[in-house]
C-alpha cells in the first residue's frame, strides 16, 4: 500500500511516500526562485524529461539489486551531464568567468565519505568524490591535488570551457552588474535571483542501505575559492543507516553554519520523529534566519520526502511499485 501525503506550511512543502518494500530514490536539481512565470512550457517539459531520466537511471540500479551508492552515483552523473542543472556541464560561472565544482558522496552503512572542492577540469565531480571515498584514505581533496588524483584514477578530464553555457553566462553578467558598486562579491548579500542550484540524490537499496550524493557549480560570481555546503559532509550531504540520508541545495553558507543534513538525521534519531518531519522543522528554522533552500531525504524505513522553503525545487522520486513523480514548483502553485 502506498500513501501520498501533501503538507504545505508557510513556504515549506513536503511530500511523503511510504512504500512497503522500501527500495526508492529521490533526486533534486536545485531550489530557488523557480516560478511558473519564469519558465516556458517547453523548458518545463525539458526539466521534467531530464529529472525523469535521471531518477529512472538511479532506480534501475536498485531494481537490479544494485547498491544505493551506485544508484545515487548513476542519477547524479546524468544530472551533471545535463546542461539544465548547475553541476558538471551547465555549472554556474565564477566571478572570473571560469567554473569551480564541488561534490560529495556518503555511504550510510559505515559513514564512509568522499568529497572534492574547487575542481576545474573533471567532467563528473561525483565520480571523483566516489574515488576519494573508495580509493583513498581521505575524505576531502581540493583544487590541484584533487585534479592530480582524478588524473591518476583515469577519470575523464575536460577543458574548463566544457562547462560553459550561454544561459549561465547571462546570469553571471546580471550578477556582476548588481555587484559592481561594491569592491567584491564577498561583500554583497547574495541575491537568489542570480541563480544557484545543485544536483543530488538519496536512495535506499534492497539491503536497506542508504546513500547520498550531491554535486554543484556553487553560486554565480563566487570568488576567492569560495566553497559551499555541497562537499561538506553533514552540511550539504549526509547518510547514516541508523537514521537517514539527505542531499541539500540552497544558500550554502547557511547550510554549513546550521549543519543542515546531519541535523535532520540527528533530530530524526534522537527525537524519534520521522526524517521528513525533522527536515520540515530544520528548513522552517533556516528560513527564519534567512537561509533559502531545500532537501531530499530518505529514512531507514524507506520513506522518501522533500522539503524546501523557496518558490520551487526541481525534484523527482520513484519508490517500489510507484510511477515517477516529478515536480518543479511549490505544491500551491
Ligand atoms: N548549495 C550550493 C552552494 O552553496 C548552491 C545551491 O545549491 O544552490 O554552493
Amino acid at each position: 500500500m502506498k500513501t501520498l501525503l501533501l503538507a504545505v506550511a508557510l513556504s515549506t512543502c513536503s511530500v511523503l511516500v511510504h512504500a512497503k518494500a522500501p527500495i526508492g530514490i529521490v533526486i533534486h536539481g536545485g531550489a530557488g526562485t523557480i516560478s511558473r512565470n519564469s519558465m516556458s512550457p517547453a523548458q518545463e517539459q525539458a526539466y521534467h524529461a531530464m529529472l525523469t531520466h535521471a531518477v529512472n537511471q538511479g532506480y534501475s540500479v536498485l531494481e537490479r539489486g544494485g547498491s544505493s551508492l551506485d544508484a545515487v552515483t548513476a542519477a547524479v552523473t546524468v544530472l551533471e551531464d545535463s546542461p539544465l542543472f548547475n553541476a558538471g556541464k551547465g555549472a554556474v560561472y565564477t566571478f572570473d568567468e571560469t567554473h569551480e565544482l564541488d561534490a560529495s558522496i556518503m555511504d550510510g552503512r559505515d559513514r564512509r565519505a568522499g568529497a572534492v572542492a574547487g575542481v576545474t577540469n573533471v567532467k563528473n565531480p561525483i565520480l571523483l568524490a566516489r574515488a576519494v571515498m573508495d580509493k583513498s584514505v581521505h575524505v576531502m581533496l581540493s583544487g590541484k591535488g584533487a585534479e592530480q588524483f582524478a588524473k591518476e584514477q583515469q577519470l575523464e578530464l575536460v577543458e574548463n570551457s566544457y562547462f560553459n553555457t550561454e544561459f549561465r553566462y547571462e546570469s553571471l553578467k546580471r550578477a556582476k552588474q548588481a555587484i559592481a558598486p561594491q569592491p567584491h562579491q564577498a561583500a554583497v548579500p547574495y541575491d537568489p535571483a542570480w541563480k544557484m542550484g545543485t544536483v543530488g540524490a538519496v536512495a535506499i537499496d534492497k539491503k536497506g542501505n542508504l546513500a547520498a550524493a550531491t554535486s554543484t557549480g556553487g553560486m554565480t560570481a563566487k570568488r576567492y575559492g569560495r566553497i559551499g555546503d555541497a562537499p561538506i559532509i553533514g552540511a550539504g550531504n549526509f547518510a547514516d543507516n541508523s537514521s537517514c540520508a539527505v542531499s541539500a541545495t540552497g544558500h550554502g553558507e547557511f547550510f554549513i553554519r546550521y549543519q543542515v543534513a546531519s541535523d535532520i538525521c540527528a533530530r530524526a534519531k534522537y527525537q524519534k520523529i520521522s526524517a521528513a518531519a525533522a527536515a520540515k522543522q530544520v528548513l522552517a528554522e533556516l528560513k527564519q534566519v534567512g537561509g533559502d533552500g531545500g532537501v531530499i531525504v530518505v529514512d531507514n524505513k524507506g520513506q522518501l520526502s522533500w522539503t524546501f522553503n523557496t518558490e520551487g525545487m526541481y525534484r523527482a522520486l520513484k519508490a517500489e511499485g510507484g510511477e515517477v513523480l516529478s515536480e518543479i514548483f511549490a505544491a500551491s502553485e
Side-chain angles (χ1 to χ4, degrees), residues 28 30-31 86 102 195-199 216-219 222 226-231 248-253 255:
H28 71 80
N86 173 21
D102 304 332
K195 186 68 200 156
M196 36 192 196
T198 283
V199 307
T216 191
M219 292 167 90
K222 65 185 184 181
R226 180 263 184 193
I227 306 291
D229 59 314
T249 171
H251 193 162
E253 279 69 10
F255 283 71

Side-chain angles (χ1 to χ4, degrees), residues 8-13 284 288 332:
V8 182
L10 301 170
S11 54
T12 299
C13 165
Q288 297 203 327
S332 52

Side-chain angles (χ1 to χ4, degrees), residues 5 29 36 106 139 158 213 223 299 333:
L5 305 175
R36 216 164 236 131
M106 192 165 187
V139 169
V158 290
R223 268 188 126 169
D299 71 18
E333 252 204 274

Side-chain angles (χ1 to χ4, degrees), residues 62-122:
L62 299 172
E63 214 170 21
R64 292 194 300 269
S67 69
S68 51
L69 269 180
D70 286 345
V72 296
T73 305
V76 167
T77 304
V78 169
L79 296 168
E80 284 181 338
D81 288 344
S82 164
L84 294 177
F85 304 101
N86 173 21
K89 176 77 184 167
V92 297
Y93 285 78
T94 65
F95 190 89
D96 298 324
E97 308 196 354
T98 62
H99 308 273
E100 294 175 5
L101 312 174
D102 304 332
S104 66
I105 190 160
M106 192 165 187
D107 185 343
R109 284 177 300 185
D110 49 9
R111 292 204 190 194
R112 282 183 324 128
V116 293
V119 295
T120 60
N121 66 354
V122 180

